[in-house]
Amino acid sequence: MAQKVIGLLGGMSWESSAEYYRIINEQVRDRLGGLHSARCLMWSFDFAGIEALQHAGRWADATAEMIAAAQRLERGGADFVLICTNTMHRMAEEVQAAIGIPLLHIADPTAERIRAAGLRRVGLLGTAFTMEQDFYKGRLVERHGLEVLVPEAEDRALVHRVIYEELVQGRAEPASREAYRAVIARLVARGAEAVILGCTEIMLLVRPEDSAVPLFDTTALHAEAAVERAIGGA
């Protein structure tokens, strides 16, 4: 049976989209062997335009951009779609409603892995949009029964700043890694049993040894779930 075609809505930022492409292809090669690689399509945004819409609060315009891109992937032959960023799952329901193929939501494989590990109370790191708005936390709580802790306001501002001023520009600064370690430690002190790296760039900075509790990398878990859907039990 031929692999399903994975549609990737990327470029937000391309730094993490490159990781999606690498992980997906490595997983397919490991699963199928030989010279196998993934059948996939990627629409890559110019992130400057998307970032401007985000910070201006122009979410309707951003949604229209996402829908148009998802429809391009569908017309191109994608069998299902991934949004390769946590923040832009803010409009996941609207995107799904506008296409005739499934959208694989980034929160679901993450939550499923957390529940499988027997954990329930989790810390969440991400952009301010992801940490403060309900589109992501709400899905974790309502669909998966998790309890979600976010950092205090000062820590949220730091996490957000590092994402936009450093990580999406390909910079992983040692001082920022130490700052993230401290933020994680404060979440653990408040009772977090695990921490979700809820921005697809954070995995470029933080490693398992930076946390006293398990880290759940949404980039890797989302990419792995895409491969599972594309090749199933092959």
Side-chain angles (χ1 to χ4, degrees):
M1 183 177 68
Q3 296 180 50
K4 293 185 174 71
V5 177
I6 303 169
L8 301 167
L9 284 167
M12 302 173 286
S13 68
W14 71 259
E15 299 283 347
S16 60
S17 299
E19 292 299 309
Y20 269 90
Y21 187 76
R22 178 186 62 80
I23 294 167
I24 286 170
N25 280 286
E26 286 180 350
Q27 290 270 323
V28 170
R29 181 182 61 196
D30 291 347
R31 292 276 295 271
L32 300 181
L35 298 178
H36 283 288
S37 58
R39 301 177 69 206
C40 63
L41 301 171
M42 181 182 286
W43 172 265
S44 189
F45 283 96
D46 176 357
F47 188 49
I50 296 297
E51 185 274 341
L53 294 176
Q54 290 175 343
H55 285 94
R58 293 172 56 189
W59 293 107
D61 292 334
T63 298
E65 293 277 357
M66 294 289 288
I67 287 172
Q71 290 172 338
R72 289 187 187 99
L73 290 175
E74 183 175 19
R75 290 195 301 269
D79 291 303
F80 63 96
V81 170
L82 278 67
I83 299 173
C84 300
T85 161
N86 289 272
T87 297
M88 300 303 277
H89 278 74
R90 190 183 193 277
M91 61 281 295
E93 291 183 4
E94 292 92 334
V95 173
Q96 177 64 92
I99 56 178
I101 56 177
L103 185 149
L104 179 56
H105 198 292
I106 196 169
D108 294 338
T110 301
E112 288 160 10
R113 190 69 63 88
I114 291 167
R115 291 295 302 268
L119 305 172
R120 181 173 175 274
R121 195 176 201 201
V122 296
L124 174 64
L125 300 182
T127 66
F129 312 114
T130 299
M131 292 185 289
E132 295 171 3
Q133 298 177 18
D134 198 49
F135 66 91
Y136 194 90
K137 293 182 294 183
R139 192 176 185 97
L140 295 174
V141 173
E142 294 160 15
R143 294 203 178 202
H144 299 283
L146 299 179
E147 181 181 351
V148 181
L149 305 175
V150 297
E152 301 294 347
E154 186 175 341
D155 283 348
R156 294 199 303 272
L158 180 149
V159 170
H160 182 88
R161 180 189 63 76
V162 169
I163 290 168
Y164 279 94
E165 295 182 8
E166 299 175 16
L167 298 181
V168 300
Q169 299 180 42
R171 293 167 49 206
E173 303 289 347
S176 296
R177 184 181 183 193
E178 288 303 313
Y180 270 51
R181 287 172 64 111
V183 172
I184 290 169
R186 286 190 280 274
L187 286 171
V188 173
R190 289 168 53 199
E193 302 170 318
V195 172
I196 296 172
L197 305 185
C199 169
T200 51
E201 282 83 21
I202 294 178
M203 54 94 75
L204 303 172
L205 182 68
V206 174
R207 298 289 180 264
E209 59 267 25
D210 296 318
S211 174
V213 298
L215 299 176
F216 289 83
D217 172 16
T218 55
T219 303
L221 293 170
H222 202 201
E224 290 168 11
V227 172
E228 181 61 30
R229 177 167 293 205
I231 67 176

